């Protein structure tokens, strides 16, 4: 019988193919024989430095994931990590074992460090594997190349690994860890390939083993039977035909749904325009600020923003002000002693300490907006109350910006969206963070990924509350975050009242095709069915049946 693994489908599509596995080093054995501490210290220090160099050179070629690679290089150069390595060397471990144990201790130390956000587990494990492999004289963890297209299977995928991925060869991504907003999920959508994450047991699949990956249902079937193979082939033929449509987003009966791209800088613009994006739903401006010791000047910011605005002349570009803190640290602001950074000073809250940072950014956005023909809107991240929304709106209007909104990422803001809409022109649901805060679940924690599933009825309730408030106020409410790019969830969001959806550009044609197949009334039925379900699985099943 075929073994079936269930996880979260984070990028839709169905493929069949052979497995290729990512290999990393195993925990090196501890040998009781005495070690030459001086020689092992040189060896370990050399490996840490070489890995940092390697990550920095990957960063130069990596585009959007460059900031992550720089962050990883910094881990490798962190003096507190080196001090831990010395400690284990002095305790009689050989360099590979000392490094392995030191990384474990470093992770614990950083987790309880109130001054710095804890590093991402996949990023840290990747640095460890590189250092240990080097010390063992093994090749670094790498993407295998079996010479034919394959399904990439790993415990977790780090940006460093995927920077070397040959996108033409990989059919799908499957990981044991990771959640809906993990690096794997974001990458798969960007590449337009199916992905399943958080699927326990998949790391035991063997290289060469044939699997059927369903990135919509979130399943991986090993050695699929003839019936599954045939069903996959039929399904694929149908979906290829339907994604060829172009033009603005609308349901079969003509209800308009603006399909917009999420953009993180000028590098994303070309693809967004090619995908027929009707505008930018969230322009993440952090790219200019991360990994810098001083913030960029107003002039530098304005010219970088214009590069994006100019590509969307005549269309709307919703620009989000700086969202640093928690999972997006920046070295030029000192956020200090925060026991839980995700609940601390992040997003708009950073402006309480550094008001000039926001004032300058609003000036830069306003300047770029004046000089371009795009319809520029501005919104703030991490707003919890009407007072915060009003404070932001006053500053944005003072800077000369006309269309001002806020993101709804905190449940308090969702529950009182009507109040927020009295002081701003629009709101946009930030589905990634709204799920994180609604379910008290760290969005970077793969182990708890099922709680972040956007099909959770309680999450949909919150989104419905915001959309209802928009309808009552007669104001626009869009949805951004990974949830909006799920082609089966998109009709549900439209049924709940969304007037626009923002997503990774590659997903726009797929979501467009999904909406073109259903009427506005069917969207309403699907929304009601999903809200009425007991859990995410039942919600999906009900909507699938209606489709
Ligand atoms: C979100 O939270 O849904 C969002 C769009 O913002 P980010 O993912 O950048 O936090
Ligand atoms: Mg967010």
């Amino acid at each position: 019988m075929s073994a079936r693994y269930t996880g979260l489908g984070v990028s839709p599509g169905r493929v069949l193919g052979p497995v290729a596995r990512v290999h990393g080093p195993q925990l090196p054995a501890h040998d009781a024989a005495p070690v030459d501490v001086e020689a092992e210290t040189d060896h370990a220090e050399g490996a840490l430095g070489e890995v940092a160099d390697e990550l920095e050179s990957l960063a130069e070629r990596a585009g959007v994931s460059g900031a992550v690679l720089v962050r990883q290089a910094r881990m490798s150069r962190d003096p507190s990590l080196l001090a831990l390595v010395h400690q284990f060397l002095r305790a009689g471990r050989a360099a590979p074992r000392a490094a392995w144990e030191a990384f474990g201790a470093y992770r614990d130390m950083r987790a309880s460090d109130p001054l710095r956000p804890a590093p991402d587990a996949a990023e840290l494990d990747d640095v460890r594997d590189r250092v240990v492999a080097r010390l063992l004289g093994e090749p670094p963890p790498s993407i295998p190349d079996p010479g034919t297209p394959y399904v990439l299977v790993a415990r977790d995928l780090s940006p460093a690994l995927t920077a070397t991925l040959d996108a033409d060869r990989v059919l799908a991504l499957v990981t044991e860890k990771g959640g809906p907003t993990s690096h794997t999920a974001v990458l798969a959508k960007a590449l337009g390939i199916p992905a399943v994450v958080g699927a326990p047991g998949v790391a035991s699949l063997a290289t060469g083993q044939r699997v059927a990956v369903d990135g919509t249902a979130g399943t991986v079937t090993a050695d699929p039977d003839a019936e599954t193979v045939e069903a996959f082939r039929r399904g694929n033929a149908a979906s290829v035909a339907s994604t060829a449509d172009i033009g603005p987003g609308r349901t079969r009966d003509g209800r308009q749904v603006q399909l917009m791209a999420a953009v993180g800088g000028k590098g994303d613009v070309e693809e967004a325009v090619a995908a027929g994006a009707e505008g930018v739903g969230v322009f993440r401006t952090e790219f200019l600020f991360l990994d810098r010791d001083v913030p960029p000047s107003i002039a530098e910011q304005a010219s970088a923003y214009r590069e994006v605005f100019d590509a969307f002349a005549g269309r709307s570009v919703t620009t989000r002000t700086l969202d640093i803190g928690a999972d997006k640290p920046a070295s030029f602001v000192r956020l200090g002693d925060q026991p839980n950074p995700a609940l601390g000073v992040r997003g708009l809250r950073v402006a309480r300490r550094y008001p000039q940072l926001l004032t300058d950014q609003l000036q830069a956005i306003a300047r770029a907006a004046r000089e371009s023909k795009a319809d520029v809107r501005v919104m703030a991240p991490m707003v919890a109350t009407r007072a915060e929304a009003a404070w932001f709106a006053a500053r944005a209007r003072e800077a000369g910006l006309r269309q001002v909104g806020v993101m709804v990422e905190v449940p308090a803001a969702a529950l009182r969206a009507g109040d927020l809409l009295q002081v701003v022109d629009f709101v946009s649901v930030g589905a990634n963070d709204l799920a994180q805060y609604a379910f008290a679940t760290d969005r970077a924690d793969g182990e708890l990924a099922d709680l972040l599933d956007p099909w959770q009825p309680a999450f949909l309730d919150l989104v419905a509350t915001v959309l209802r408030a928009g309808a009552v106020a007669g104001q626009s409410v869009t949805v951004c975050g990974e949830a909006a790019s799920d082609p089966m969830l998109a009709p549900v969001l439209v049924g709940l009242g969304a007037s626009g959806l923002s997503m990774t550009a590659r997903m726009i044609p797929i979501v467009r095709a999904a909406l073109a197949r259903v009427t506005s009334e069917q969207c309403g039925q699907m929304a009601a069915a999903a809200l009425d379900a007991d859990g995410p699985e039942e919600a999906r099943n009900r909507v699938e049946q209606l489709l």
Side-chain angles (χ1 to χ4, degrees):
M1 221 187 75
S2 330
R4 181 179 254 224
Y5 305 87
T6 306
L8 271 185
V10 289
S11 182
R14 293 163 142 194
V15 292
L16 295 155
V19 166
R21 289 188 44 185
V22 173
H23 284 288
Q26 302 297 316
L27 168 67
H30 173 44
D31 187 347
V35 294
D36 176 345
V37 176
E38 209 173 311
E40 294 297 291
T41 303
D42 285 350
H43 198 191
E45 286 181 359
L48 284 164
E50 283 158 20
V51 165
D53 292 345
E54 173 187 68
L55 289 164
E56 276 158 4
S57 91
L58 275 176
E60 280 165 25
R61 297 179 263 139
V64 279
S65 50
V68 178
L69 297 164
V70 170
R71 192 156 71 224
Q72 285 186 288
R74 282 193 182 154
M75 290 175 202
S76 199
R77 292 199 200 283
D78 188 337
S80 47
L81 173 65
L82 185 61
L84 288 166
V85 175
H86 286 159
Q87 212 171 302
F88 284 98
L89 289 166
R90 283 196 300 273
R93 309 288 196 274
R97 176 78 186 206
W100 187 287
E101 292 189 39
F103 270 93
Y106 179 74
R107 176 192 301 219
D108 295 344
M109 185 189 82
R110 290 284 305 268
S112 54
D113 180 350
L115 298 177
R116 291 192 289 174
D120 177 87
E123 290 171 23
L124 187 60
D125 286 352
D126 179 72
V127 182
R128 178 200 63 200
D129 290 351
R130 282 167 190 276
V131 171
V132 172
R134 202 169 268 270
L135 289 168
L136 291 170
E138 292 177 4
S142 61
I143 303 285
D145 181 10
T148 51
Y150 58 87
V151 172
L152 186 65
V153 176
R155 271 168 52 72
D156 209 348
L157 279 175
S158 66
L161 267 179
T162 52
T164 57
L165 188 92
D166 178 355
D168 294 335
R169 284 271 170 86
V170 63
L171 297 169
L173 303 178
V174 172
T175 60
E176 199 161 72
K177 297 184 162 188
T181 56
S182 62
H183 179 69
T184 307
V186 174
L187 177 78
K189 282 184 194 150
L191 295 176
I193 58 174
V196 177
V197 303
V202 288
S204 61
L205 287 164
T207 291
Q209 195 170 4
R210 194 166 158 76
V211 286
V213 181
D214 187 336
T216 310
T219 57
V220 180
T221 310
D223 309 313
D225 54 23
E227 208 180 315
T228 310
V229 171
E230 188 44 33
F232 266 52
R233 293 209 166 118
R234 273 201 313 272
N236 284 347
S239 68
V240 167
S242 59
T243 54
D245 311 341
I246 46 158
R250 53 168 58 109
T251 57
R252 203 168 81 209
D253 55 333
R255 172 165 162 193
Q256 292 198 344
V257 183
Q258 226 189 345
L259 298 181
M260 294 167 296
V263 164
K266 122 173 154 207
D268 296 336
V269 160
E270 197 182 322
E271 192 173 17
V273 172
E278 295 170 61
V280 174
V282 53
F283 173 20
R284 293 183 168 99
T285 54
E286 293 77 56
F287 75 104
L288 254 182
F289 292 80
L290 300 177
D291 293 303
R292 300 181 62 133
D293 295 327
V294 286
S297 66
I298 295 179
E300 186 187 346
Q301 288 187 54
S303 101
Y305 300 151
R306 263 206 69 180
E307 290 185 316
V308 172
F309 296 173
D310 286 349
F312 289 92
R315 283 176 275 179
S316 95
V317 180
T318 303
T319 308
R320 180 178 74 184
T321 56
L322 196 51
D323 186 16
I324 49 175
D327 58 326
K328 307 176 186 97
S331 44
F332 56 84
V333 289
R334 301 206 71 77
L335 299 176
D337 185 3
Q338 298 198 74
N340 191 336
L343 300 180
V345 182
R346 63 160 292 201
L348 182 65
R349 299 167 183 190
V350 173
R352 294 177 186 218
R353 286 197 198 172
Y354 297 93
Q356 196 59 40
L357 203 55
L358 178 68
T359 309
D360 287 354
Q361 188 178 26
L362 291 170
Q363 291 288 344
I365 296 169
R367 186 188 294 181
R370 275 195 305 274
E371 291 167 0
S372 100
K373 293 199 168 58
D375 170 20
V376 175
R377 314 198 308 170
V378 67
M379 67 179 179
M382 276 297 285
V383 170
T385 65
R386 173 188 156 123
E388 285 178 333
W391 184 85
F392 173 74
R395 254 134 218 91
R397 293 196 175 110
E398 239 166 61
L401 288 152
R402 297 275 148 264
Q403 288 288 312
V404 183
V406 293
M407 293 188 78
V408 175
E409 306 185 280
V410 180
L415 294 169
R416 288 297 183 122
D419 291 356
L420 304 187
L421 282 164
Q422 287 175 359
V423 294
V424 293
D425 304 302
F426 67 93
V427 298
S428 183
V429 175
N432 302 337
D433 276 311
L434 186 59
Q436 153 164 277
Y437 294 119
F439 286 87
T441 300
D442 188 335
R443 62 191 265 191
D445 188 345
E447 197 180 333
L448 302 170
D450 54 313
L451 293 171
L452 294 169
D453 190 334
W455 287 84
Q456 287 280 5
F459 170 77
L460 293 176
D461 271 346
L462 280 171
V463 177
T465 303
V466 182
L467 291 165
R468 258 197 313 271
V472 169
Q475 281 161 272
S476 138
V477 180
T478 54
V479 179
C480 58
E482 299 305 311
S485 63
D486 175 341
M488 205 158 83
L489 191 59
V492 172
L493 296 171
V494 170
L496 292 175
S499 58
L501 301 173
S502 169
M503 65 203 77
T504 311
R506 289 256 182 148
M507 295 306 293
I508 289 178
I510 297 170
V511 171
R512 185 189 290 124
L515 290 177
R517 282 198 287 271
V518 291
T519 62
S520 189
E521 191 185 341
Q522 283 171 320
C523 290
Q525 288 162 355
M526 288 175 197
L531 283 179
D532 197 37
D534 278 343
E537 200 170 333
E538 190 186 321
R540 273 195 185 88
N541 288 341
R542 284 173 169 223
V543 169
E544 194 161 26
Q545 268 164 25
L546 287 169
L547 276 168

